Amino acid sequence: MTISRRDVLLGSAGLAAGATLPMPSIAQANIEKGATLRVLRPTKFVDPDQTIFNENTEAFTKATGVQVRVDYAGWEDLRPQTAVTANTGAGPDVVVGWADDPHIFSDKLVDLTPIAEDLGKKYGGWYPIAEKYGKKDKTNQWISIPMGASGAPAVYRESWVKEAGFDTFPKDLDGFLRLCRKLKETGHPAGFALGNAVGDGNAFCNWLVWTHGGYMVDENNKVAINSKETVEALKYAKALYETFIPGTLSWLDISNNKALSAGEIGLTQNGVSLYFSIKNSKDEKTAAIGKDLNHATMPVGPLGRPSEPALVINAMVFKHTKFPNAAKEYLRFMMEKEQYDKWLTGCYGYWAQPLKGFAESKVWSVDPKILVYRDTWERALWSGYKGAINEAAGTVAAEYVTVQMVASVCAGQATPEEAAREAERRAKRYYRT
């Protein structure tokens, strides 16, 4: 799947800097003789993502002699393909999957603890949420290597927000609703995905519930979505939805990008790629929109702290691989500074760093408008909050339980109370505590 609307120019300065760094040492003695690897990961949302990932992979082959084939799956296709790999015990050796996926298949994965601990010591430690995504629940065993996270702050047209009477972007829910109402009145409505969108639908709907103090399960993994906090979140969602551009109930990850690029909406939620694709557009009219764009953290509600989700990519090695040592060294290599900073910089921070040391990357000083993405892992809550990241949490996310709960209220198909009860019923199918 090629998504040209998100294409951006290569980060030439970052690439040049990365190219001059020495090659890191590789534990070649551990790599199996004649090893070959197959890797599956999500397709690009910015061109440099795939370009630089392939370059780094080729550098690994040059350093080790291990031939690596990288396949790219569409975003909605990646999770089903990961499940097939896990259930058949065949296919890719390494899968760079979505956030929860390693926890769904944890018993079929190679232990990555030594690599993760070494990387943490070398690069300033892992952010706490990255550790939570990487470690098997209630253990210190790393079953995956979080490689990056796409943040989900608000993306808005500065001039239209000012035209609506706001000098700064609202930090609270009441102000946010007032802004959305004024944007609609001035002909520049907001638009947030309410379809089964891996990135944008989950981002908006989870933020909505979490910031009101709601959550799918409590600390003991007991289903708790049917709460007064969730009901209040759904009432707010209904009011907010009335300000949206028509059609958001069927929006997927591509939809808000198209709408903002076309000047149809003045506010949405997205990764940094949307800003750069518009700013660097060859179409002068579209590029002009980029000068008017800015970003802000999503408003904070009763929870009292930022609660934006992060779209996490999480690499795992399956036990069916014939070359586990080669696979582990490949992941180590891709996370070393010489490769990782080149990727981070070239992608303009689209996949924000899970290791604290990379927060000092020059990519975050290039443009003050993208600085908000640097702290993606600091603000993020996790899928399955407040409980564990486990198989149940991953399945509930994959089934879009939260997204469909919110959408049913916005569509008028259920009252907030009915929708919360239905989400509770569905979640209990997977959480059996």
Side-chain angles (χ1 to χ4, degrees):
M1 177 173 69
T2 300
I3 303 177
S4 59
R5 73 191 186 287
R6 293 196 184 224
D7 289 350
V8 297
L9 299 176
L10 287 172
S12 56
L15 292 177
T20 62
L21 293 170
M23 188 73 70
S25 60
I26 299 174
Q28 289 180 284
N30 294 329
I31 294 178
E32 300 87 352
K33 186 177 181 179
T36 61
L37 295 174
R38 182 180 164 199
V39 177
L40 177 68
R41 53 145 292 176
T43 192
K44 63 182 180 182
F45 253 35
V46 293
D47 267 350
D49 179 6
Q50 186 166 325
T51 300
I52 300 171
F53 197 91
N54 288 342
E55 288 175 355
N56 286 342
T57 298
E58 290 167 5
F60 175 77
T61 297
K62 184 176 180 180
T64 64
V66 177
Q67 295 297 317
V68 184
R69 167 185 162 187
V70 182
D71 295 321
Y72 292 85
W75 283 34
E76 288 77 21
D77 299 327
L78 180 61
R79 183 160 272 149
Q81 289 187 33
T82 303
V84 169
T85 296
N87 293 329
T88 63
D93 306 275
V94 177
V95 175
V96 183
W98 296 127
D100 320 276
D101 293 354
H103 300 270
I104 299 176
F105 310 114
S106 60
D107 61 331
K108 300 180 180 181
L109 302 179
V110 171
D111 184 357
L112 300 178
T113 304
I115 294 173
E117 290 182 346
D118 287 349
L119 289 168
K121 290 175 183 176
K122 194 171 184 179
Y123 297 116
W126 298 86
Y127 289 103
I129 302 302
E131 283 201 26
K132 196 168 184 71
Y133 273 114
K135 291 181 178 179
K136 187 173 182 178
D137 185 39
K138 295 183 174 63
T139 76
N140 283 318
Q141 178 190 359
W142 288 78
I143 57 173
S144 60
I145 301 294
M147 296 189 76
S150 181
V155 186
Y156 64 95
R157 295 283 297 267
E158 287 186 297
S159 64
W160 289 352
V161 166
K162 289 179 180 178
E163 181 185 338
F166 291 78
D167 291 330
T168 59
F169 195 84
K171 299 183 183 298
D172 63 288
L173 294 177
D174 288 343
F176 187 63
L177 181 56
R178 289 196 305 272
L179 170 61
C180 290
R181 285 171 172 164
K182 290 296 293 183
L183 286 171
K184 182 180 180 181
E185 288 178 14
T186 56
H188 308 303
F192 294 85
L194 289 167
N196 291 350
V198 173
D200 298 335
N202 279 313
F204 174 68
C205 295
N206 278 313
W207 162 79
L208 180 81
V209 173
W210 292 341
T211 199
H212 280 86
Y215 39 88
M216 185 60 67
V217 296
D218 65 16
E219 294 88 340
N220 298 313
N221 294 321
K222 181 179 179 181
V223 176
I225 191 64
N226 186 9
S227 67
K228 63 180 179 18
E229 290 85 3
T230 298
V231 169
E232 288 304 309
L234 294 173
K235 291 177 180 177
Y236 183 85
K238 180 69 171 178
L240 203 60
Y241 172 72
E242 292 172 356
T243 73
F244 290 179
I245 191 174
T248 56
L249 287 166
S250 61
W251 273 15
L252 298 178
D253 286 304
I254 190 174
S255 306
N256 62 344
N257 299 65
K258 285 184 173 180
L260 192 72
S261 299
E264 297 170 353
I265 59 174
L267 168 62
T268 191
Q269 198 179 3
N270 212 275
V272 72
S273 56
L274 178 55
Y275 169 63
F276 278 107
S277 67
I278 292 175
K279 179 181 177 181
N280 295 322
S281 174
K282 295 179 181 178
D283 179 78
E284 292 184 7
K285 185 177 179 181
T286 303
I289 294 175
K291 297 176 182 178
D292 194 35
L293 289 180
N294 210 338
H295 307 92
T297 55
M298 290 293 284
V300 174
L303 181 64
R305 56 147 289 173
S307 56
E308 299 163 17
L311 181 64
V312 173
I313 50 173
N314 211 356
M316 63 199 105
V317 176
F318 281 94
K319 288 180 179 178
H320 66 247
T321 181
K322 295 179 181 179
F323 309 109
N325 292 338
K328 288 187 284 187
E329 290 305 322
Y330 173 76
L331 290 180
R332 184 202 301 273
F333 183 88
M334 297 296 274
M335 296 300 295
E336 293 281 7
K337 181 179 180 180
E338 293 80 1
Q339 288 68 244
Y340 194 85
D341 193 59
K342 175 182 175 182
W343 185 53
L344 174 68
T345 302
C347 294
Y348 291 109
Y350 181 73
W351 296 117
Q353 71 285 337
L355 287 157
K356 295 177 181 178
F358 292 118
E360 302 303 317
S361 173
K362 289 184 179 180
V363 68
W364 302 122
S365 60
V366 170
D367 186 339
K369 287 187 174 182
I370 72 166
L371 189 59
V372 66
Y373 290 96
R374 182 194 62 187
D375 301 324
T376 292
W377 288 94
E378 293 275 14
R379 292 192 304 274
L381 295 179
W382 62 94
S383 182
Y385 165 81
K386 293 182 173 180
I389 300 177
N390 55 20
E391 181 176 355
T395 306
V396 166
E399 294 293 328
Y400 295 102
V401 173
T402 299
V403 174
Q404 292 172 8
M405 173 184 71
V406 175
S408 68
V409 173
C410 293
Q413 297 170 342
T415 66
E417 293 80 6
E418 291 168 344
R421 286 196 297 270
E422 174 62 10
E424 177 185 43
R425 183 194 68 79
R426 292 181 65 191
K428 283 183 174 178
R429 293 169 56 191
Y430 308 108
Y431 285 97
R432 302 185 184 278
T433 55

